[in-house]
Amino acid sequence: MSGMPAAYRNIIEPLIEIARGIVETGETLSHMAFVGNLRTGETKIVPMVTPSDQAKDEAAAMLRHVAHLLQADFVFVIMDAWTLPSDKVARYQEILDEYGSIGASPYRIDAIAFNLETRHGMWCAQVPVKPKGVSKRKKTFGEPQFQLFDGVQGRFANLLPVADDDHVAAGKLH
């Protein structure tokens, strides 16, 4: 999590461990978000039900609403995801055209996606889910390698309220 301010690392590392524990027990990881304000120390858990595009839009609207109410400094989203192996990424559009989605393709890799939106940028990581030992039911995932992205667009981006001024959140970051 190099480069990520320590205040955020301290908040999200235990949440990642909880997600790992859920996956390792064989349970389904529910999509969830944690919306928080560093100055007040308040964090709200926002469960997300996202079976359709409309439900995803509603979940994003709810996150924006909660972030506004808390005057949030961060939103941390955890959700299961699908990705492609590196040798298939160039065929992304072809795979979508043929199968309709990454999830419906035989190339899909189950993964956990982590997105941390802050006033300092968006840190994202996607970690493949792998079998835990010889078990067919129990799974796990490795350490997320977060990368900082600028200009992220999409449904679950730009969730934080516009700050009253251009100052960075007053909470201690490092």
Side-chain angles (χ1 to χ4, degrees), residues 23-159:
V23 170
E24 288 181 352
T25 62
E27 298 297 319
T28 301
L29 183 64
S30 298
H31 295 187
M32 63 187 86
F34 301 85
V35 180
N37 181 309
L38 292 174
R39 289 182 313 280
T40 66
E42 186 175 11
T43 300
K44 297 286 185 194
I45 301 171
V46 181
M48 301 183 329
V49 179
T50 58
S52 67
D53 284 343
Q54 179 179 347
K56 290 174 187 172
D57 290 341
E58 290 169 0
M62 176 59 73
L63 290 174
R64 283 185 185 88
H65 178 69
V66 172
H68 174 76
L69 291 175
L70 291 179
Q71 286 302 294
D73 302 308
F74 70 90
V75 177
F76 183 53
V77 177
I78 303 173
M79 53 178 57
D80 61 353
W82 297 306
T83 189
L84 290 171
S86 58
D87 65 334
K88 301 289 187 239
V89 172
R91 294 184 47 213
Y92 171 77
Q93 191 58 54
E94 177 186 333
I95 290 168
L96 283 182
D97 293 344
E98 183 173 347
Y99 298 101
S101 73
I102 299 300
S105 83
Y107 309 113
R108 98 179 201 190
I109 296 173
D110 292 334
I112 306 295
F114 300 98
N115 298 322
L116 174 65
E117 180 177 335
T118 75
R119 300 252 178 243
H120 307 281
M122 173 94 71
W123 276 270
C124 302
Q126 196 171 51
V127 186
V129 175
K130 299 179 178 182
K132 183 175 183 185
V134 296
S135 174
K136 292 186 186 223
R137 177 172 137 79
K138 292 185 179 181
K139 301 191 182 294
T140 192
F141 57 87
E143 286 302 313
Q145 300 301 312
F146 283 85
Q147 292 183 305
L148 178 61
F149 291 92
D150 290 326
V152 175
Q153 297 295 313
R155 180 182 282 125
F156 292 107
N158 301 308
L159 299 171

Side-chain angles (χ1 to χ4, degrees), residues 3-10 120 171-174:
M4 181 186 295
Y8 299 119
R9 283 196 316 271
N10 294 339
H120 307 281
K172 183 178 177 188
L173 294 176
H174 295 281

